[in-house]
């Protein structure tokens, strides 16, 4: 009897917060990890109202930005994972590469909440924007797209595109509560200088097809390098002509795809990628020589309109590695390739090296192992907003 009364009293103490003023409860809730806050909306009607108030979101974002200075939480995500026959089954659900934030804890950070999440063929991450991910079931013949916020496990499915295309270049932009998905063929071999571009808008709930100008007849998009949204435009690496293909979805007077120059002194045709670090547009490559020492080079775009690049770093690998690397990575006959740029630090890049994912400090020449037994060549630097971006409920 006494034990039952004690349990009832404990339950009453946990539930009754009527003596706590709103300002104090708000201060308490703001100090919780963001992924837990959204779960606590279910505690009571009062908690739901407080957390759902836009004022709470602004306070939370201000506190996070103040505590983190200018750096928003982020992580590296594996974009494409492969079948169990290729990688150990224990790695199939591993989506994160760095363990640096309580909101990026595995298995808490997962995409298993999406409807298509087969154990033997994980869903593909195509792009990210403003804390949201664009995902698809397959790499080729993409038709089922999902937009999700993995921190609060909110998602929607988009209507299927109007036309089946084997391989597409995809872009994703989320801004001011609206989002767009843009796609077009990764290659063009026809005689026409136009192509079919498909755009999905959350404002209309429909796919819109348009015929736009193509800058070259025989372009080929480098699909293993993620699309980059910068200066209002989407940017894809073009392989055949060593250019960047850009598209501004909101430029009504100059529609179509456009070409942008890469650095004149670039050398790599395969081992390269685009990225943004601290608001600067950058190009990162490893010289793809078959034998001998390789160079790592990083350029920054100093003038976007004039397409002027400035070489920041050029490092020869042969004499730059620290001694402890030799304990687990063979020094001779290595294979190395670029994977990502740090979104907040100019000096740090990520590489695949000797079966490991490593971070490399361009200033100190220090290399650190981030992830062993690395099986994926596809990474995405995912930066999420201090307050999670919610996805408007579909009306289609």
């Amino acid at each position: 009897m006494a034990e039952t009364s004690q349990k009832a009293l404990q339950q009453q103490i946990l539930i009754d917060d009527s003596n706590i003023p709103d300002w104090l409860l708000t201060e308490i809730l703001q100090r919780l990890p963001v992924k837990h806050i959204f779960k606590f909306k279910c505690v009571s009607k009062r908690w739901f109202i407080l957390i759902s108030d836009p004022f709470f979101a602004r306070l939370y974002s201000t506190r996070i930005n103040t505590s983190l200075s200018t750096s928003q939480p982020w992580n590296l995500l594996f974009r494409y994972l492969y079948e169990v026959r290729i990688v150990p089954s224990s790695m199939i659900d591993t989506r994160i590469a760095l363990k640096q934030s309580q909101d990026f804890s595995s298995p808490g950070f997962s995409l298993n909440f999406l409807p298509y999440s087969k154990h033997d063929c994980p869903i593909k991450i195509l792009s990210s924007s403003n804390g949201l991910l664009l995902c698809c079931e397959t790499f080729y013949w993409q038709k089922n797209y999902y937009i999700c916020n993995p921190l609060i496990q909110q998602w929607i499915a988009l209507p299927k595109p109007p036309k089946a295309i084997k391989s597409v270049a995809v872009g994703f932009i989320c801004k001011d509560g609206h989002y767009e998905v843009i796609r077009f063929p990764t290659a063009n071999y026809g005689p026409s200088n136009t192509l079919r571009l498909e755009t999905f808008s959350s404002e209309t709930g429909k796919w819109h097809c348009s015929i736009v100008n193509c800058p070259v007849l025989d372009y080929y998009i480098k699909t293993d390098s993620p699309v980059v949204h910068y200066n209002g435009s989407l940017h894809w690496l073009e392989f055949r002509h060593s250019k960047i293909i850009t598209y501004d979805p909101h430029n009504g007077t100059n529609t179509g795809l456009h070409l942008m120059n890469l650095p004149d002194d670039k050398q790599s045709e395969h081992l390269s990628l685009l990225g943004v670090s601290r608001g600067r547009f950058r190009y990162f490559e490893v010289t793809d020589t078959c034998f001998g020492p390789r160079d790592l080079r990083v350029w920054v775009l100093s003038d976007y309109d004039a397409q002027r690049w400035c070489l920041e770093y050029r490092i020869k690998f042969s004499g730059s590695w620290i001694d402890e690397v030799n304990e687990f990575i063979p020094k001779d006959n290595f294979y190395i390739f670029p994977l990502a740029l740090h979104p907040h630090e100019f000096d740090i890049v990520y590489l695949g090296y000797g079966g490991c994912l490593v971070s490399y400090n361009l200033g100190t020449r220090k290399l650190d192992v981030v992830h062993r037994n690395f099986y994926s060549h596809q990474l995405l630097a995912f930066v999420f907003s201090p307050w999670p971006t919610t996805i408007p409920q579909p009306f289609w």
Side-chain angles (χ1 to χ4, degrees), residues 259-279:
L259 284 183
M260 183 176 180
N261 292 325
L262 285 168
D264 293 333
D265 50 346
K266 68 173 291 297
Q267 293 187 11
S268 179
E269 297 297 335
H270 304 280
L271 306 178
S272 58
L273 57 86
L274 301 171
V276 177
S277 296
R278 296 181 65 179

Side-chain angles (χ1 to χ4, degrees), residues 9 11 36 42 67 80 133 174 209 212 224 252 282 316 393:
L9 179 60
Q11 185 178 13
H36 295 312
C42 302
S67 62
Y80 304 142
L133 294 176
C174 176
C209 300
V212 300
D224 59 348
R282 306 173 87 194
K316 290 187 177 295
Q393 290 301 309

Side-chain angles (χ1 to χ4, degrees), residues 252-304:
T253 60
N254 194 16
T255 59
L257 305 180
H258 299 275
L259 284 183
M260 183 176 180
N261 292 325
L262 285 168
D264 293 333
D265 50 346
K266 68 173 291 297
Q267 293 187 11
S268 179
E269 297 297 335
H270 304 280
L271 306 178
S272 58
L273 57 86
L274 301 171
V276 177
S277 296
R278 296 181 65 179
R280 304 293 300 277
F281 193 65
R282 306 173 87 194
Y283 174 73
F284 174 28
E285 74 168 20
V286 175
T287 53
D288 48 356
T289 55
C290 297
F291 302 99
R294 295 183 172 185
D295 287 353
L296 182 155
R297 303 182 184 189
V298 179
W299 288 263
V300 63
L301 189 63
S302 58
D303 190 322
Y304 187 90

Side-chain angles (χ1 to χ4, degrees), residues 70-74 100 276-279 341-348 382-384:
T70 59
S71 297
Q72 292 175 278
W74 75 284
Q100 60 179 20
V276 177
S277 296
R278 296 181 65 179
L341 294 163
H342 196 296
H344 304 312
E345 300 291 340
F346 280 124
D347 293 340
I348 299 178
F382 177 50
V383 180
F384 65 94

Side-chain angles (χ1 to χ4, degrees), residues 16-261:
D16 187 8
D17 58 3
S18 58
N19 293 326
I20 303 177
D22 285 351
W23 69 266
L24 180 57
L25 183 56
T26 299
E27 287 294 324
I28 295 172
L29 292 174
Q30 284 190 54
R31 284 158 174 76
L32 299 174
V34 67
K35 67 178 182 180
H36 295 312
I37 290 178
F38 273 73
K39 295 179 180 179
F40 291 155
K41 281 186 174 183
C42 302
V43 170
S44 67
K45 182 178 180 180
R46 181 190 182 196
W47 286 35
F48 179 85
I49 294 174
L50 283 177
I51 297 173
S52 301
D53 192 326
F55 177 72
F56 183 91
R58 289 195 297 270
L59 284 179
Y60 193 93
S61 299
T62 300
R63 188 182 64 82
I64 293 296
N65 286 331
T66 301
S67 62
L68 296 175
S69 298
T70 59
S71 297
Q72 292 175 278
W74 75 284
N75 213 308
L76 290 175
L77 304 185
F78 298 128
R79 297 178 62 207
Y80 304 142
L81 300 179
Y82 304 100
E83 290 77 5
V84 175
R85 69 176 188 274
I86 299 178
V87 303
S89 58
S90 60
M91 291 188 62
I92 280 294
D93 193 38
T94 301
R95 282 290 181 180
I96 59 174
L98 306 177
K99 299 178 180 178
Q100 60 179 20
S101 168
Q102 56 186 343
D103 289 321
F104 278 111
S105 59
S106 186
F109 188 91
S110 171
L111 297 178
N112 283 343
F113 59 89
L114 293 175
Y116 186 93
S117 186
K118 290 184 178 179
H119 183 68
D120 60 344
C121 189
I123 200 163
K124 318 304 182 201
I125 299 176
L126 303 180
S127 183
S128 69
S129 180
N130 197 25
L132 300 181
L133 294 176
L134 174 67
C135 304
C136 190
E137 298 175 357
T138 57
F139 181 74
Y140 293 109
W141 301 109
Q142 296 175 5
K143 60 180 181 179
N144 294 322
Y145 292 102
Y146 303 97
I147 294 176
C148 71
N149 187 322
L151 289 182
I152 59 177
Q153 298 191 355
Q154 183 189 15
W155 64 274
I156 62 168
L158 301 186
K160 293 182 179 180
K163 185 177 181 179
I165 304 175
K166 181 179 180 180
S167 180
V168 290
V170 180
F172 175 46
I173 300 175
C174 176
K175 186 178 181 181
D176 299 329
H178 303 288
Y179 52 85
E180 290 179 302
V181 177
I182 296 95
R183 65 177 224 154
F184 60 93
T186 56
N188 181 28
Y189 303 103
S192 174
N193 62 346
T194 61
L195 59 82
R196 176 190 175 99
L197 185 141
E198 300 173 342
T199 302
F200 178 85
S201 171
S202 62
E203 293 182 317
T204 64
K206 298 179 181 179
W207 286 92
H208 172 73
C209 300
S210 58
I211 304 300
V212 300
N213 294 325
C214 180
V216 287
L217 296 179
D218 56 344
Y219 73 86
Y220 187 83
I221 298 293
K222 181 176 166 63
T223 56
D224 59 348
S225 178
V227 60
V228 176
H229 182 217
Y230 182 79
N231 199 36
S233 295
L234 297 166
H235 302 75
W236 296 268
L237 271 179
E238 194 278 330
F239 174 74
R240 186 165 286 122
H241 300 275
S242 296
K243 300 287 186 178
I244 301 172
I245 287 184
T246 71
Y247 177 68
D248 182 354
H250 302 119
N251 188 349
T253 60
N254 194 16
T255 59
L257 305 180
H258 299 275
L259 284 183
M260 183 176 180
N261 292 325

